[in-house]
PDB file of all heavy atoms in Angstrom:
ATOM      1  N   ASN A  65      18.249   8.808   8.695  1.00 92.00           N
ATOM      2  CA  ASN A  65      17.588   8.804  10.001  1.00 92.00           C
ATOM      3  C   ASN A  65      16.108   8.523   9.765  1.00 92.00           C
ATOM      4  O   ASN A  65      15.436   9.267   9.067  1.00 92.00           O
ATOM      5  CB  ASN A  65      17.788  10.137  10.725  1.00 92.00           C
ATOM      6  CG  ASN A  65      19.221  10.318  11.167  1.00 92.00           C
ATOM      7  OD1 ASN A  65      19.953   9.359  11.363  1.00 92.00           O
ATOM      8  ND2 ASN A  65      19.629  11.551  11.323  1.00 92.00           N
ATOM      9  N   TRP A  66      15.625   7.422  10.326  1.00 91.00           N
ATOM     10  CA  TRP A  66      14.265   6.948  10.093  1.00 91.00           C
ATOM     11  C   TRP A  66      13.290   7.692  11.005  1.00 91.00           C
ATOM     12  O   TRP A  66      13.591   7.904  12.178  1.00 91.00           O
ATOM     13  CB  TRP A  66      14.224   5.441  10.370  1.00 91.00           C
ATOM     14  CG  TRP A  66      13.125   4.736   9.668  1.00 91.00           C
ATOM     15  CD1 TRP A  66      12.037   4.154  10.237  1.00 91.00           C
ATOM     16  CD2 TRP A  66      12.997   4.522   8.270  1.00 91.00           C
ATOM     17  NE1 TRP A  66      11.245   3.589   9.277  1.00 91.00           N
ATOM     18  CE2 TRP A  66      11.809   3.806   8.050  1.00 91.00           C
ATOM     19  CE3 TRP A  66      13.779   4.874   7.158  1.00 91.00           C
ATOM     20  CZ2 TRP A  66      11.367   3.428   6.789  1.00 91.00           C
ATOM     21  CZ3 TRP A  66      13.346   4.496   5.896  1.00 91.00           C
ATOM     22  CH2 TRP A  66      12.156   3.779   5.727  1.00 91.00           C
ATOM     23  N   PRO A  67      12.129   8.079  10.485  1.00 88.00           N
ATOM     24  CA  PRO A  67      11.198   8.865  11.304  1.00 88.00           C
ATOM     25  C   PRO A  67      10.514   8.068  12.419  1.00 88.00           C
ATOM     26  O   PRO A  67      10.161   8.638  13.452  1.00 88.00           O
ATOM     27  CB  PRO A  67      10.176   9.382  10.293  1.00 88.00           C
ATOM     28  CG  PRO A  67      10.268   8.445   9.146  1.00 88.00           C
ATOM     29  CD  PRO A  67      11.679   7.945   9.113  1.00 88.00           C
ATOM     30  N   ALA A  68      10.326   6.765  12.230  1.00 87.00           N
ATOM     31  CA  ALA A  68       9.685   5.946  13.272  1.00 87.00           C
ATOM     32  C   ALA A  68      10.724   5.508  14.295  1.00 87.00           C
ATOM     33  O   ALA A  68      11.917   5.421  14.005  1.00 87.00           O
ATOM     34  CB  ALA A  68       9.024   4.731  12.650  1.00 87.00           C
ATOM     35  N   ARG A  69      10.256   5.230  15.502  1.00 89.00           N
ATOM     36  CA  ARG A  69      11.150   4.774  16.572  1.00 89.00           C
ATOM     37  C   ARG A  69      10.781   3.352  16.974  1.00 89.00           C
ATOM     38  O   ARG A  69       9.606   3.002  17.012  1.00 89.00           O
ATOM     39  CB  ARG A  69      11.048   5.697  17.786  1.00 89.00           C
ATOM     40  CG  ARG A  69      11.609   7.063  17.516  1.00 89.00           C
ATOM     41  CD  ARG A  69      11.406   7.991  18.698  1.00 89.00           C
ATOM     42  NE  ARG A  69      12.042   9.261  18.456  1.00 89.00           N
ATOM     43  CZ  ARG A  69      13.192   9.633  19.008  1.00 89.00           C
ATOM     44  NH1 ARG A  69      13.805   8.845  19.855  1.00 89.00           N
ATOM     45  NH2 ARG A  69      13.714  10.799  18.716  1.00 89.00           N
ATOM     46  N   LEU A  70      11.790   2.570  17.293  1.00 88.00           N
ATOM     47  CA  LEU A  70      11.594   1.212  17.758  1.00 88.00           C
ATOM     48  C   LEU A  70      10.912   1.249  19.117  1.00 88.00           C
ATOM     49  O   LEU A  70      11.408   1.890  20.041  1.00 88.00           O
ATOM     50  CB  LEU A  70      12.952   0.500  17.849  1.00 88.00           C
ATOM     51  CG  LEU A  70      12.942  -0.962  18.266  1.00 88.00           C
ATOM     52  CD1 LEU A  70      12.166  -1.811  17.263  1.00 88.00           C
ATOM     53  CD2 LEU A  70      14.372  -1.477  18.373  1.00 88.00           C
ATOM     54  N   GLY A  71       9.757   0.640  19.220  1.00 89.00           N
ATOM     55  CA  GLY A  71       9.015   0.654  20.472  1.00 89.00           C
ATOM     56  C   GLY A  71       8.540   2.045  20.849  1.00 89.00           C
ATOM     57  O   GLY A  71       8.227   2.295  22.009  1.00 89.00           O
ATOM     58  N   GLY A  72       8.541   2.954  19.872  1.00 87.00           N
ATOM     59  CA  GLY A  72       8.146   4.325  20.136  1.00 87.00           C
ATOM     60  C   GLY A  72       9.185   5.133  20.889  1.00 87.00           C
ATOM     61  O   GLY A  72       8.968   6.288  21.223  1.00 87.00           O
ATOM     62  N   VAL A  73      10.351   4.528  21.176  1.00 88.00           N
ATOM     63  CA  VAL A  73      11.365   5.172  22.012  1.00 88.00           C
ATOM     64  C   VAL A  73      12.729   5.277  21.335  1.00 88.00           C
ATOM     65  O   VAL A  73      13.333   6.342  21.306  1.00 88.00           O
ATOM     66  CB  VAL A  73      11.518   4.385  23.346  1.00 88.00           C
ATOM     67  CG1 VAL A  73      12.592   5.001  24.210  1.00 88.00           C
ATOM     68  CG2 VAL A  73      10.201   4.310  24.077  1.00 88.00           C
ATOM     69  N   CYS A  74      13.227   4.196  20.798  1.00 92.00           N
ATOM     70  CA  CYS A  74      14.602   4.130  20.295  1.00 92.00           C
ATOM     71  C   CYS A  74      14.697   4.603  18.839  1.00 92.00           C
ATOM     72  O   CYS A  74      14.050   4.037  17.958  1.00 92.00           O
ATOM     73  CB  CYS A  74      15.113   2.694  20.417  1.00 92.00           C
ATOM     74  SG  CYS A  74      16.840   2.508  19.976  1.00 92.00           S
ATOM     75  N   PRO A  75      15.511   5.638  18.554  1.00 93.00           N
ATOM     76  CA  PRO A  75      15.683   6.127  17.188  1.00 93.00           C
ATOM     77  C   PRO A  75      16.320   5.067  16.284  1.00 93.00           C
ATOM     78  O   PRO A  75      17.186   4.301  16.714  1.00 93.00           O
ATOM     79  CB  PRO A  75      16.619   7.327  17.329  1.00 93.00           C
ATOM     80  CG  PRO A  75      16.638   7.660  18.770  1.00 93.00           C
ATOM     81  CD  PRO A  75      16.303   6.404  19.510  1.00 93.00           C
ATOM     82  N   LEU A  76      15.889   5.045  15.039  1.00 94.00           N
ATOM     83  CA  LEU A  76      16.402   4.086  14.058  1.00 94.00           C
ATOM     84  C   LEU A  76      17.108   4.803  12.918  1.00 94.00           C
ATOM     85  O   LEU A  76      16.852   5.968  12.641  1.00 94.00           O
ATOM     86  CB  LEU A  76      15.265   3.255  13.478  1.00 94.00           C
ATOM     87  CG  LEU A  76      14.552   2.305  14.420  1.00 94.00           C
ATOM     88  CD1 LEU A  76      13.322   1.713  13.743  1.00 94.00           C
ATOM     89  CD2 LEU A  76      15.495   1.201  14.859  1.00 94.00           C
ATOM     90  N   GLN A  77      17.972   4.048  12.247  1.00 94.00           N
ATOM     91  CA  GLN A  77      18.653   4.542  11.066  1.00 94.00           C
ATOM     92  C   GLN A  77      18.577   3.443  10.005  1.00 94.00           C
ATOM     93  O   GLN A  77      18.845   2.274  10.285  1.00 94.00           O
ATOM     94  CB  GLN A  77      20.107   4.859  11.397  1.00 94.00           C
ATOM     95  CG  GLN A  77      20.840   5.592  10.320  1.00 94.00           C
ATOM     96  CD  GLN A  77      22.198   6.054  10.804  1.00 94.00           C
ATOM     97  OE1 GLN A  77      23.015   5.241  11.226  1.00 94.00           O
ATOM     98  NE2 GLN A  77      22.452   7.342  10.735  1.00 94.00           N
ATOM     99  N   PHE A  78      18.167   3.822   8.804  1.00 95.00           N
ATOM    100  CA  PHE A  78      18.125   2.919   7.657  1.00 95.00           C
ATOM    101  C   PHE A  78      19.483   3.029   6.965  1.00 95.00           C
ATOM    102  O   PHE A  78      19.891   4.121   6.568  1.00 95.00           O
ATOM    103  CB  PHE A  78      17.002   3.350   6.712  1.00 95.00           C
ATOM    104  CG  PHE A  78      16.960   2.608   5.408  1.00 95.00           C
ATOM    105  CD1 PHE A  78      16.404   1.346   5.331  1.00 95.00           C
ATOM    106  CD2 PHE A  78      17.454   3.183   4.248  1.00 95.00           C
ATOM    107  CE1 PHE A  78      16.338   0.668   4.136  1.00 95.00           C
ATOM    108  CE2 PHE A  78      17.407   2.513   3.045  1.00 95.00           C
ATOM    109  CZ  PHE A  78      16.842   1.250   2.981  1.00 95.00           C
ATOM    110  N   VAL A  79      20.197   1.911   6.858  1.00 96.00           N
ATOM    111  CA  VAL A  79      21.517   1.900   6.235  1.00 96.00           C
ATOM    112  C   VAL A  79      21.449   0.984   5.022  1.00 96.00           C
ATOM    113  O   VAL A  79      21.060  -0.181   5.139  1.00 96.00           O
ATOM    114  CB  VAL A  79      22.601   1.410   7.219  1.00 96.00           C
ATOM    115  CG1 VAL A  79      23.969   1.400   6.552  1.00 96.00           C
ATOM    116  CG2 VAL A  79      22.619   2.283   8.475  1.00 96.00           C
ATOM    117  N   ALA A  80      21.794   1.529   3.847  1.00 97.00           N
ATOM    118  CA  ALA A  80      21.711   0.762   2.607  1.00 97.00           C
ATOM    119  C   ALA A  80      23.020   0.848   1.835  1.00 97.00           C
ATOM    120  O   ALA A  80      23.727   1.852   1.892  1.00 97.00           O
ATOM    121  CB  ALA A  80      20.572   1.283   1.739  1.00 97.00           C
ATOM    122  N   GLU A  81      23.304  -0.221   1.110  1.00 98.00           N
ATOM    123  CA  GLU A  81      24.455  -0.270   0.221  1.00 98.00           C
ATOM    124  C   GLU A  81      23.915  -0.461  -1.187  1.00 98.00           C
ATOM    125  O   GLU A  81      22.998  -1.253  -1.404  1.00 98.00           O
ATOM    126  CB  GLU A  81      25.350  -1.445   0.595  1.00 98.00           C
ATOM    127  CG  GLU A  81      26.565  -1.600  -0.286  1.00 98.00           C
ATOM    128  CD  GLU A  81      27.371  -2.826   0.105  1.00 98.00           C
ATOM    129  OE1 GLU A  81      28.071  -2.762   1.123  1.00 98.00           O
ATOM    130  OE2 GLU A  81      27.264  -3.849  -0.615  1.00 98.00           O
ATOM    131  N   GLY A  82      24.458   0.303  -2.113  1.00 98.00           N
ATOM    132  CA  GLY A  82      23.990   0.166  -3.487  1.00 98.00           C
ATOM    133  C   GLY A  82      24.942   0.797  -4.469  1.00 98.00           C
ATOM    134  O   GLY A  82      25.900   1.467  -4.098  1.00 98.00           O
ATOM    135  N   ARG A  83      24.644   0.576  -5.743  1.00 98.00           N
ATOM    136  CA  ARG A  83      25.456   1.124  -6.824  1.00 98.00           C
ATOM    137  C   ARG A  83      24.770   2.345  -7.427  1.00 98.00           C
ATOM    138  O   ARG A  83      23.558   2.367  -7.592  1.00 98.00           O
ATOM    139  CB  ARG A  83      25.667   0.083  -7.907  1.00 98.00           C
ATOM    140  CG  ARG A  83      26.507  -1.072  -7.408  1.00 98.00           C
ATOM    141  CD  ARG A  83      27.358  -1.663  -8.513  1.00 98.00           C
ATOM    142  NE  ARG A  83      28.138  -2.770  -7.983  1.00 98.00           N
ATOM    143  CZ  ARG A  83      29.386  -2.660  -7.535  1.00 98.00           C
ATOM    144  NH1 ARG A  83      29.987  -1.494  -7.560  1.00 98.00           N
ATOM    145  NH2 ARG A  83      30.030  -3.704  -7.067  1.00 98.00           N
ATOM    146  N   VAL A  84      25.570   3.337  -7.752  1.00 97.00           N
ATOM    147  CA  VAL A  84      25.056   4.556  -8.376  1.00 97.00           C
ATOM    148  C   VAL A  84      24.551   4.211  -9.774  1.00 97.00           C
ATOM    149  O   VAL A  84      25.278   3.630 -10.587  1.00 97.00           O
ATOM    150  CB  VAL A  84      26.152   5.643  -8.454  1.00 97.00           C
ATOM    151  CG1 VAL A  84      25.658   6.860  -9.211  1.00 97.00           C
ATOM    152  CG2 VAL A  84      26.618   6.027  -7.055  1.00 97.00           C
ATOM    153  N   VAL A  85      23.282   4.566 -10.036  1.00 98.00           N
ATOM    154  CA  VAL A  85      22.686   4.330 -11.350  1.00 98.00           C
ATOM    155  C   VAL A  85      22.383   5.637 -12.078  1.00 98.00           C
ATOM    156  O   VAL A  85      22.081   5.630 -13.266  1.00 98.00           O
ATOM    157  CB  VAL A  85      21.409   3.459 -11.251  1.00 98.00           C
ATOM    158  CG1 VAL A  85      21.752   2.057 -10.777  1.00 98.00           C
ATOM    159  CG2 VAL A  85      20.365   4.087 -10.348  1.00 98.00           C
ATOM    160  N   ARG A  86      22.480   6.762 -11.344  1.00 96.00           N
ATOM    161  CA  ARG A  86      22.246   8.073 -11.954  1.00 96.00           C
ATOM    162  C   ARG A  86      22.891   9.142 -11.083  1.00 96.00           C
ATOM    163  O   ARG A  86      22.820   9.087  -9.873  1.00 96.00           O
ATOM    164  CB  ARG A  86      20.745   8.320 -12.072  1.00 96.00           C
ATOM    165  CG  ARG A  86      20.400   9.601 -12.808  1.00 96.00           C
ATOM    166  CD  ARG A  86      18.928   9.713 -13.089  1.00 96.00           C
ATOM    167  NE  ARG A  86      18.211  10.001 -11.847  1.00 96.00           N
ATOM    168  CZ  ARG A  86      16.959   9.635 -11.618  1.00 96.00           C
ATOM    169  NH1 ARG A  86      16.295   8.943 -12.506  1.00 96.00           N
ATOM    170  NH2 ARG A  86      16.375   9.965 -10.497  1.00 96.00           N
ATOM    171  N   SER A  87      23.504  10.133 -11.730  1.00 95.00           N
ATOM    172  CA  SER A  87      24.109  11.245 -10.998  1.00 95.00           C
ATOM    173  C   SER A  87      24.261  12.427 -11.931  1.00 95.00           C
ATOM    174  O   SER A  87      24.738  12.278 -13.054  1.00 95.00           O
ATOM    175  CB  SER A  87      25.477  10.833 -10.445  1.00 95.00           C
ATOM    176  OG  SER A  87      26.071  11.889  -9.739  1.00 95.00           O
ATOM    177  N   ASP A  88      23.814  13.621 -11.467  1.00 93.00           N
ATOM    178  CA  ASP A  88      23.916  14.809 -12.309  1.00 93.00           C
ATOM    179  C   ASP A  88      24.633  15.963 -11.602  1.00 93.00           C
ATOM    180  O   ASP A  88      24.580  17.093 -12.051  1.00 93.00           O
ATOM    181  CB  ASP A  88      22.537  15.249 -12.784  1.00 93.00           C
ATOM    182  CG  ASP A  88      21.614  15.685 -11.656  1.00 93.00           C
ATOM    183  OD1 ASP A  88      22.091  15.886 -10.517  1.00 93.00           O
ATOM    184  OD2 ASP A  88      20.409  15.819 -11.912  1.00 93.00           O
ATOM    185  N   GLY A  89      25.278  15.706 -10.492  1.00 86.00           N
ATOM    186  CA  GLY A  89      25.990  16.741  -9.756  1.00 86.00           C
ATOM    187  C   GLY A  89      25.166  17.375  -8.654  1.00 86.00           C
ATOM    188  O   GLY A  89      25.705  17.872  -7.684  1.00 86.00           O
ATOM    189  N   ALA A  90      23.833  17.367  -8.800  1.00 94.00           N
ATOM    190  CA  ALA A  90      22.949  17.916  -7.772  1.00 94.00           C
ATOM    191  C   ALA A  90      22.180  16.820  -7.055  1.00 94.00           C
ATOM    192  O   ALA A  90      21.772  16.974  -5.906  1.00 94.00           O
ATOM    193  CB  ALA A  90      21.964  18.911  -8.385  1.00 94.00           C
ATOM    194  N   SER A  91      22.003  15.681  -7.727  1.00 96.00           N
ATOM    195  CA  SER A  91      21.314  14.544  -7.126  1.00 96.00           C
ATOM    196  C   SER A  91      21.901  13.256  -7.694  1.00 96.00           C
ATOM    197  O   SER A  91      22.566  13.262  -8.726  1.00 96.00           O
ATOM    198  CB  SER A  91      19.804  14.601  -7.385  1.00 96.00           C
ATOM    199  OG  SER A  91      19.534  14.478  -8.760  1.00 96.00           O
ATOM    200  N   ALA A  92      21.633  12.173  -6.988  1.00 96.00           N
ATOM    201  CA  ALA A  92      22.104  10.864  -7.431  1.00 96.00           C
ATOM    202  C   ALA A  92      21.097   9.820  -6.987  1.00 96.00           C
ATOM    203  O   ALA A  92      20.321  10.034  -6.056  1.00 96.00           O
ATOM    204  CB  ALA A  92      23.487  10.558  -6.845  1.00 96.00           C
ATOM    205  N   ALA A  93      21.130   8.681  -7.668  1.00 97.00           N
ATOM    206  CA  ALA A  93      20.252   7.566  -7.323  1.00 97.00           C
ATOM    207  C   ALA A  93      21.084   6.301  -7.225  1.00 97.00           C
ATOM    208  O   ALA A  93      22.030   6.097  -7.992  1.00 97.00           O
ATOM    209  CB  ALA A  93      19.163   7.394  -8.372  1.00 97.00           C
ATOM    210  N   ILE A  94      20.733   5.464  -6.256  1.00 98.00           N
ATOM    211  CA  ILE A  94      21.372   4.157  -6.139  1.00 98.00           C
ATOM    212  C   ILE A  94      20.314   3.068  -6.247  1.00 98.00           C
ATOM    213  O   ILE A  94      19.153   3.266  -5.907  1.00 98.00           O
ATOM    214  CB  ILE A  94      22.150   3.976  -4.815  1.00 98.00           C
ATOM    215  CG1 ILE A  94      21.218   4.023  -3.599  1.00 98.00           C
ATOM    216  CG2 ILE A  94      23.281   4.976  -4.701  1.00 98.00           C
ATOM    217  CD1 ILE A  94      21.858   3.495  -2.326  1.00 98.00           C
ATOM    218  N   HIS A  95      20.752   1.917  -6.742  1.00 98.00           N
ATOM    219  CA  HIS A  95      19.944   0.706  -6.709  1.00 98.00           C
ATOM    220  C   HIS A  95      20.390  -0.060  -5.468  1.00 98.00           C
ATOM    221  O   HIS A  95      21.575  -0.387  -5.324  1.00 98.00           O
ATOM    222  CB  HIS A  95      20.172  -0.128  -7.976  1.00 98.00           C
ATOM    223  CG  HIS A  95      19.401  -1.400  -7.970  1.00 98.00           C
ATOM    224  ND1 HIS A  95      19.950  -2.597  -7.600  1.00 98.00           N
ATOM    225  CD2 HIS A  95      18.096  -1.654  -8.249  1.00 98.00           C
ATOM    226  CE1 HIS A  95      19.027  -3.541  -7.668  1.00 98.00           C
ATOM    227  NE2 HIS A  95      17.895  -2.992  -8.059  1.00 98.00           N
ATOM    228  N   ILE A  96      19.471  -0.313  -4.552  1.00 98.00           N
ATOM    229  CA  ILE A  96      19.814  -0.948  -3.272  1.00 98.00           C
ATOM    230  C   ILE A  96      20.171  -2.415  -3.480  1.00 98.00           C
ATOM    231  O   ILE A  96      19.415  -3.172  -4.084  1.00 98.00           O
ATOM    232  CB  ILE A  96      18.649  -0.830  -2.272  1.00 98.00           C
ATOM    233  CG1 ILE A  96      18.373   0.641  -1.951  1.00 98.00           C
ATOM    234  CG2 ILE A  96      18.943  -1.616  -0.994  1.00 98.00           C
ATOM    235  CD1 ILE A  96      17.114   0.861  -1.126  1.00 98.00           C
ATOM    236  N   ARG A  97      21.339  -2.812  -2.965  1.00 97.00           N
ATOM    237  CA  ARG A  97      21.780  -4.212  -2.983  1.00 97.00           C
ATOM    238  C   ARG A  97      21.450  -4.902  -1.665  1.00 97.00           C
ATOM    239  O   ARG A  97      21.090  -6.061  -1.639  1.00 97.00           O
ATOM    240  CB  ARG A  97      23.294  -4.296  -3.229  1.00 97.00           C
ATOM    241  CG  ARG A  97      23.700  -3.844  -4.605  1.00 97.00           C
ATOM    242  CD  ARG A  97      25.199  -3.731  -4.774  1.00 97.00           C
ATOM    243  NE  ARG A  97      25.981  -4.608  -3.934  1.00 97.00           N
ATOM    244  CZ  ARG A  97      26.840  -5.529  -4.371  1.00 97.00           C
ATOM    245  NH1 ARG A  97      27.032  -5.675  -5.655  1.00 97.00           N
ATOM    246  NH2 ARG A  97      27.524  -6.262  -3.539  1.00 97.00           N
TER     247      ARG A  97
END
């Protein structure tokens, strides 16, 4: 959920697809494709 709003009104969502490059059970990281 993105903190800025489109036109100051409409809520935005950042949607990304990526591959897991790190994971330790408590956190994970992806490289965005």
Side-chain angles (χ1 to χ4, degrees):
N65 290 335
W66 204 248
R69 292 176 176 256
L70 183 62
V73 178
C74 185
L76 293 172
Q77 190 171 58
F78 173 80
V79 180
E81 179 183 284
R83 294 212 180 265
V84 175
V85 294
R86 185 171 73 209
S87 180
D88 64 13
S91 65
I94 64 165
H95 178 262
I96 297 172
R97 293 171 28 121

